[in-house]
Amino acid sequence: MTNKIVIYTTCGSEEDANRIARHLVEMRVAACVSIAPGVRSTYRWQGAIEESQEWGLTIKSRRDLFARLADEVRKVHPYEVPELIAVPIVDGLISYLDWMDAELESPIDLP
């Protein structure tokens, strides 16, 4: 098991997706954010079943950065309750995992 995680979220527009992705990478809480258009979501919100076309974001980070990443997402995400789900990266190409570490905030730099 690695200390790396993948976090999923969605948003309602390409502009929001690009803004969120850039912000997370600039803050060094995400090494990479992949953006996928055409996500169709069906969910219950405030008592009604909703359906919406969304943009999916796949965020690559580290477990120790999740709380900070979540704070940063809440600052820039337009949704009242953004989806933010983290899953562990069990294993991966060592050179990619090392690259992630080089691009993320160092654990000794954390507040």
Side-chain angles (χ1 to χ4, degrees):
M1 178 83 73
T2 74
N3 64 345
K4 309 300 184 292
I5 55 176
V6 172
I7 303 107
Y8 298 103
T9 193
T10 57
C11 59
S13 72
E14 181 177 14
E15 295 76 23
D16 286 338
N18 289 331
R19 184 173 42 78
I20 293 165
R22 184 163 193 89
H23 179 75
L24 296 177
V25 171
E26 285 176 349
M27 298 303 295
R28 298 184 77 91
V29 294
C32 174
V33 180
S34 301
I35 300 170
V39 174
R40 182 105 179 122
S41 296
T42 303
Y43 53 94
R44 185 177 303 276
W45 180 248
Q46 298 179 344
I49 294 178
E50 302 283 339
E51 293 182 3
S52 60
Q53 203 63 31
E54 295 183 298
W55 291 76
L57 286 79
T58 304
I59 305 161
K60 289 76 152 200
S61 189
R62 257 191 348 255
R63 206 162 238 232
D64 61 309
L65 292 173
F66 182 78
R68 182 141 175 261
L69 186 143
D71 287 343
E72 294 299 331
V73 168
R74 284 192 293 265
K75 287 179 190 176
V76 297
H77 203 295
Y79 289 0
E80 183 179 338
V81 181
E83 172 186 9
L84 210 54
I85 299 169
V87 295
I89 296 176
V90 175
D91 208 347
L93 184 67
I94 295 300
S95 57
Y96 185 81
L97 299 177
D98 289 345
W99 170 82
M100 285 178 65
D101 276 331
E103 298 307 317
L104 293 166
E105 185 173 274
S106 169
I108 55 175
D109 295 336
L110 293 174

